[in-house]
């Protein structure tokens, strides 16, 4: 079901021509800085993968992948990717990437089950990245170091766009505030996960919530994660809390709420994957191509994630709707409401 947030007295700071130029500049500048910060090389990625290989990301496990038959492959089915979390890990192995280096790519997806709104579209575009790590780097401190590097690239991009368009003023916090999802639940035990996100992000501006997917003290996860890429069950010896992954949230002044810009984390090793598959009742996946390669030890240890391109542009350019950044399909009611609110959809 679609839902529209209507900012009061909203007026775009940029016209459509300025917006298109700004989008181009942000995407070019940010990906160059991301590549430099994390030592990533650009690779070409697929729009679809074969069904039944385990390469597609199943997100929270309920979203339907857009699929179609392939005439020349004996009626096999292809699926449009949800994300490239698993494909990237196979690519790291096939390209023989060394520890300390990685890859990034433009990921384009169709998510037919999205609830459309200011932040959600049928079309998803993000930078998917993955980097090889050593066994010693599978810890919270290293995760935080990578988050800080990504955030540094974000702050440099903010400076560039504010120099380009003086009517846009800086808004990013100087530093990212780190908090575990269990600690956040302890702070606001009577709030939903989204309410907790809004409260903590409004306070600090930029927040990284650690431990997404594992069960918390209330018997629920902060949010759902597939069991075969992010490691959300390993216990950190410093805190005694589980999870080597998380979400990067930024306070959006225009919408008056937190928005998720990146989901990322240290990936499962063989033992953790088996544990998480068992906990989620997905042990049958061990027969799939991706999981067989994990179990045979031919895939490297790694860290990775995705960074929303349209959301990042939306944030920098102070836009109220993702449809001001990308061309997509919207319900007629939403298009009418946007027109009445002065939100110009592409």
């Amino acid at each position: 079901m679609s839902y529209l947030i209507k900012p009061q007295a909203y007026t775009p700071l940029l016209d459509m021509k300025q917006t298109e130029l700004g989008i181009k500049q942000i995407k070019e500048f940010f990906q160059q800085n991301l590549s430099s910060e994390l030592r990533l090389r650009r690779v070409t990625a697929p729009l679809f993968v074969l069904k039944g290989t385990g390469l597609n990301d199943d997100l929270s496990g309920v979203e339907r992948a857009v699929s179609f038959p392939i005439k020349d492959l004996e009626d096999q089915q292809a699926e449009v990717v949800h994300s490239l979390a698993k494909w990237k890990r196979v690519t790291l192995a096939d390209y023989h990437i060394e520890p300390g280096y990685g890859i990034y790519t433009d990921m384009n997806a169709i998510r037919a089950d999205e609830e459309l709104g200011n932040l959600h579209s049928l079309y998803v575009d993000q930078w998917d990245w993955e980097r090889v790590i050593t066994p010693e780097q599978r810890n919270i401190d290293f995760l935080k170091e990578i988050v800080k590097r990504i955030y540094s690239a974000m702050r440099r991009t903010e400076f560039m766009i504010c120099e380009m368009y003086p009517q846009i003023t800086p808004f990013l916090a100087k530093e990212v505030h780190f908090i575990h999802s269990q600690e956040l639940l302890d702070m606001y035990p009577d709030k939903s996960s989204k309410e907790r996100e809004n409260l903590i992000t409004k306070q600090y501006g930029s927040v990284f919530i650690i431990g997404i997917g594992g069960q918390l003290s209330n018997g629920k996860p902060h949010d759902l994660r597939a069991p075969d890429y992010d490691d959300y069950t390993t216990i950190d010896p410093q805190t005694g809390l589980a999870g080597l992954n998380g979400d990067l949230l930024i306070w959006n002044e225009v919408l008056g709420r937190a928005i998720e810009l990146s989901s990322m984390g240290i990936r499962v090793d063989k033992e953790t994957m088996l544990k998480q598959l068992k906990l989620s009742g997905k042990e049958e996946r061990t027969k799939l191509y991706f999981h067989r390669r994990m179990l045979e030890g031919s895939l490297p240890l790694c860290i990775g994630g995705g960074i929303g391109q349209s959301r990042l542009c939306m944030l920098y350019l102070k836009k109220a709707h993702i449809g001001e950044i990308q061309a997509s399909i919207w319900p007629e009611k939403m298009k009418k409401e946007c027109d009445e609110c002065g939100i110009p959809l592409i």
Side-chain angles (χ1 to χ4, degrees):
M1 185 176 181
S2 60
Y3 176 73
L4 181 67
I5 301 171
K6 303 175 184 178
Q8 292 185 348
Y10 174 70
T11 302
L13 297 179
L14 307 176
D15 62 28
M16 295 188 80
K17 289 182 179 179
Q18 291 173 316
T19 298
E20 292 287 5
L21 179 58
I23 292 169
K24 177 178 180 293
Q25 292 296 108
I26 290 167
K27 288 187 176 183
E28 290 179 350
F29 188 88
F30 179 77
Q31 69 179 319
Q32 289 173 356
N33 278 267
L34 177 69
S35 174
S36 298
E37 279 287 351
L38 301 186
R39 293 189 287 188
L40 310 174
R41 68 176 70 169
R42 192 187 184 284
V43 297
T44 301
L47 177 59
F48 39 81
V49 293
L50 280 176
K51 187 175 183 178
T53 60
L55 284 173
N56 204 359
D57 177 8
D58 68 342
L59 301 177
S60 61
V62 297
E63 295 86 350
R64 299 168 299 161
V66 175
S67 61
F68 57 92
I70 307 171
K71 180 180 177 182
D72 285 349
L73 291 183
E74 299 178 354
D75 295 324
Q76 289 192 64
Q77 291 271 328
E79 290 181 340
V80 176
V81 297
H82 273 149
S83 86
L84 297 167
K86 299 167 190 170
W87 176 88
K88 289 178 296 180
R89 193 165 189 174
V90 172
T91 302
L92 288 176
D94 293 347
Y95 279 41
H96 305 291
I97 305 294
E98 296 294 323
Y101 297 89
I103 59 172
Y104 81 95
T105 190
D106 288 294
M107 192 285 296
N108 298 287
I110 301 171
R111 296 183 182 171
D113 289 332
E114 285 286 8
E115 294 184 356
L116 306 181
N118 301 67
L119 298 170
H120 294 277
S121 168
L122 296 174
Y123 169 64
V124 179
D125 57 340
Q126 63 185 37
W127 290 286
D128 257 1
W129 64 272
E130 206 81 10
R131 173 172 152 158
V132 179
I133 62 175
T134 65
E136 295 74 26
Q137 291 172 327
R138 299 192 78 257
N139 59 68
I140 289 292
D141 287 341
F142 184 73
L143 173 65
K144 290 180 178 179
E145 178 187 332
I146 295 298
V147 172
K148 291 174 183 177
R149 286 180 174 273
I150 293 172
Y151 194 67
S152 292
M154 288 177 57
R155 291 200 67 204
R156 285 196 294 274
T157 305
E158 178 191 51
F159 179 80
M160 179 275 296
I161 206 68
C162 290
E163 287 287 295
M164 183 175 176
Y165 295 119
Q167 62 269 47
I168 297 175
T169 54
F171 60 92
L172 288 176
K174 290 184 178 180
E175 297 179 346
V176 178
H177 178 74
F178 292 92
I179 188 168
H180 193 279
S181 54
Q182 181 60 56
E183 296 171 321
L184 188 57
L185 174 61
D186 293 341
M187 289 175 64
Y188 306 109
D190 59 336
K191 303 295 184 182
S192 70
S193 58
K194 293 302 176 187
E195 289 171 334
R196 298 195 294 270
E197 289 179 0
N198 283 330
L199 287 166
I200 195 70
T201 310
K202 185 175 183 180
Q203 180 179 353
Y204 289 100
S206 301
V207 176
F208 189 81
I209 300 177
I210 301 167
I212 307 291
Q215 184 173 296
L216 303 178
S217 60
N218 63 356
K220 303 175 183 178
H222 181 86
D223 201 354
L224 297 175
R225 284 294 180 273
D228 39 17
Y229 58 94
D230 276 359
D231 183 337
Y232 52 77
T233 55
T234 292
I235 304 295
D236 173 45
Q238 296 182 32
T239 64
L241 298 172
L244 299 178
N245 71 326
D247 288 346
L248 178 61
L249 307 174
I250 307 294
W251 183 253
N252 186 309
E253 298 170 339
V254 177
L255 297 180
R257 57 157 292 175
I259 68 169
E260 178 193 321
L261 280 186
S262 177
S263 175
M264 57 169 286
I266 292 171
R267 308 308 198 185
V268 292
D269 57 15
K270 180 172 68 173
E271 290 74 20
T272 310
M273 185 187 76
L274 288 172
K275 178 174 65 173
Q276 293 183 179
L277 287 175
K278 184 176 182 180
L279 287 171
S280 60
K282 304 289 185 182
E283 292 170 283
E284 74 280 357
R285 293 188 187 179
T286 56
K287 301 175 184 178
L288 301 176
Y289 169 74
F290 171 81
H291 303 77
R292 291 201 311 271
R293 289 199 62 176
M294 275 290 298
L295 294 176
E296 72 186 21
S298 66
L299 301 182
L301 298 176
C302 56
I303 184 172
I307 303 167
Q309 295 186 14
S310 289
R311 283 195 184 184
L312 195 66
C313 293
M314 179 184 170
L315 190 70
Y316 286 134
L317 302 179
K318 305 290 181 77
K319 298 295 185 179
H321 198 288
I322 201 165
E324 297 179 79
I325 300 296
Q326 57 164 248
S328 188
I329 297 173
W330 308 100
E332 286 300 321
K333 180 182 178 183
M334 182 176 290
K335 290 195 289 185
K336 182 180 179 181
E337 290 179 325
C338 284
D339 186 58
E340 291 171 350
C341 295
I343 300 175
L345 302 180
I346 295 176

